[in-house]
Amino acid sequence: MDFLTLFSVYLCLVLAAGALLGVSSGRREGFLARSVDRASQVLSLVIPTQLQRATQRVLHRLFHTRSCLFVVLHIALQAAVYGEYTWEVFVYCWELQFHLVLLLLPYLLLAGNMGCFILCSRANPGMITKSNHASLVKIYAYDGVLFQKGIVCPTCNMEKPARSKHCSFCGMCVHRFDHHCVWVNNCIGAFNAKYFFLYLFTLTAMAATIAIITAAFLIQVVLLSNMMHGSYIDDQGQEHPVEILFLIQHLFLTFPRIVFMLGFVTLLTLVLGAYCCFSVYLALTNQTSNEWYKSRRYGCSHHLTLQPHDRRAVYKNIYSKGVWMNLKEIFKPPTVLEGKKK
């Protein structure tokens, strides 16, 4: 194995470790993250130190500081998908007399998604400053388990309000902190959660719509060609009826970019759809991602009690106010007056 291959493997392992540790921020390291980290340490024995340091600096900037790299990647992926959809799928579907409204739906979703993306990335998520600290600290009560009174942020030098967290990317404490999203290059907090919610759903709808239209086009091509009733001859000269695998291979050879795009947007739809379901669950139960991850360390109970020091604290979500009010809080964050009524 040459040095370039070794370095490529090392770089992939370090990237994987950075991604896994970034996802598990605030939690105990998982077995997979520890295994990847150990493998990268073994390979580091044969990689020059200066090259390792340069790689670590680049990866630190990528995973631990605010960067527009993922924003650029996000835009590039959207441009590639919509370019392929416009120049091939749209044209073919138009010739096959697909309904114009259906073909234009991805563009309408794109316009809405870009609007939510801009609002989410540029909006103040709820940065806690000395001027607004006194009002924000009154909005939510401390639950005594995840959030305790009197905890001071060592960086901001201010007492942390309940449901807040210091973001290492932005260097600020954020009110009702959910997570830092590298794709919008901003934290998701109390004041831009609604934009992220809509951004996520429009992005999922975009991927699903393009996948459905593309799949419908390929199915239409198969039906019009009457290919399913045909046969093919293999390398041994034997005749076989057309099967699904042969059909997929034929479509890939005929429309390689379209089939590849369909696979990509289908996978994206499944991943984003799962994340959407998780986001809906968090919204309906009035939890943030940060709170959900932290709460996994504690047992669940209908009563929140202060446990003795030799027993583990029991966590209960005290912020849930019912499905409708929880959902309303996403789109209309509570004010100081509303916080005092609790």
Side-chain angles (χ1 to χ4, degrees):
M1 185 180 292
D2 58 12
F3 173 76
L4 183 59
T5 304
L6 279 173
F7 179 68
S8 300
V9 173
Y10 169 75
L11 182 60
C12 291
L13 286 171
V14 174
L15 278 169
L20 288 168
L21 292 174
V23 169
S24 62
S25 178
R27 294 174 287 168
R28 296 178 181 176
E29 294 181 19
F31 172 77
L32 183 58
R34 291 197 302 270
S35 301
V36 171
D37 186 54
R38 288 170 186 167
S40 63
Q41 289 176 2
V42 172
L43 277 180
S44 67
L45 298 175
V46 296
I47 306 295
T49 305
Q50 292 182 345
L51 189 57
Q52 289 184 46
R53 290 175 180 174
T55 303
Q56 292 294 341
R57 284 196 297 269
V58 172
L59 294 178
H60 176 79
R61 182 172 180 80
L62 181 63
F63 288 107
H64 300 285
T65 60
R66 293 192 69 177
S67 172
C68 293
L69 178 62
F70 284 96
V71 175
V72 174
L73 179 60
H74 170 270
I75 295 173
L77 287 173
Q78 278 195 341
V81 169
Y82 270 86
E84 180 62 26
Y85 174 78
T86 301
W87 298 114
E88 292 206 54
V89 177
F90 185 95
V91 174
Y92 288 141
C93 289
W94 179 253
E95 293 177 355
L96 292 174
Q97 297 182 342
F98 277 56
H99 202 287
L100 181 60
V101 175
L102 177 63
L103 297 179
L104 293 178
L105 183 57
Y107 300 105
L108 298 177
L109 291 170
L110 176 63
N113 179 257
M114 290 306 297
C116 295
F117 170 79
I118 293 172
L119 290 172
C120 187
S121 61
R122 296 179 63 88
N124 176 5
M127 296 295 187
I128 300 173
T129 62
K130 292 183 178 180
S131 60
N132 65 12
H133 177 268
S135 59
L136 293 179
V137 80
K138 299 176 182 177
I139 293 179
Y140 293 113
Y142 292 93
D143 63 9
V145 180
L146 300 186
F147 307 104
Q148 300 183 20
K149 189 174 179 62
I151 303 297
V152 177
C153 175
T155 304
C156 301
N157 198 26
M158 292 183 294
E159 181 182 4
K160 289 184 177 181
R163 310 193 78 182
S164 69
K165 186 180 183 298
H166 184 85
C167 176
S168 59
F169 288 84
C170 301
M172 297 280 288
C173 285
V174 179
H175 175 53
R176 199 183 181 275
F177 177 86
D178 191 277
H179 71 286
H180 182 93
C181 180
V182 295
W183 298 105
V184 300
N185 198 28
N186 198 5
C187 282
I188 307 304
F191 302 145
N192 68 344
K194 54 182 175 290
Y195 302 132
F196 179 76
F197 204 70
L198 295 173
Y199 160 77
L200 182 61
F201 274 84
T202 53
L203 189 63
T204 306
M206 283 165 49
T209 303
I210 291 177
I212 291 171
I213 294 174
T214 305
F217 158 68
L218 293 176
I219 291 172
Q220 188 76 351
V221 169
V222 171
L223 293 176
L224 290 175
S225 63
N226 204 28
M227 195 180 305
M228 290 299 296
H229 300 288
S231 61
Y232 69 97
I233 299 176
D234 62 14
D235 296 336
Q236 286 73 36
Q238 296 181 349
E239 186 175 357
H240 300 277
V242 171
E243 302 169 346
I244 296 297
L245 290 178
F246 176 84
L247 188 62
I248 294 174
Q249 182 182 17
H250 175 76
L251 289 174
F252 185 79
L253 293 174
T254 309
F255 307 103
R257 292 190 301 273
I258 294 179
V259 174
F260 181 80
M261 183 192 73
L262 175 60
F264 174 73
V265 294
T266 300
L267 178 62
L268 192 63
T269 301
L270 295 175
V271 173
L272 290 175
Y275 189 40
C276 280
C277 293
F278 178 64
S279 298
V280 170
Y281 164 74
L282 293 179
L284 296 180
T285 56
N286 205 332
Q287 296 183 81
T288 64
S289 298
N290 178 53
E291 292 164 3
W292 185 85
Y293 289 136
K294 285 184 175 180
S295 68
R296 299 307 96 188
R297 302 174 186 173
Y298 303 96
C300 296
S301 172
H302 294 291
H303 301 284
L304 176 64
T305 57
L306 297 179
Q307 302 291 335
H309 292 292
D310 60 340
R311 295 180 61 189
R312 208 167 125 184
V314 177
Y315 169 73
K316 179 181 181 297
N317 179 16
I318 67 171
Y319 305 112
S320 180
K321 302 183 290 289
V323 172
W324 172 248
M325 293 302 296
N326 291 342
L327 189 59
K328 182 181 177 182
E329 188 169 314
I330 296 292
F331 295 92
K332 186 183 177 184
T335 61
V336 179
L337 293 177
E338 291 172 341
K340 287 181 178 179
K341 293 178 182 178
K342 296 178 182 179

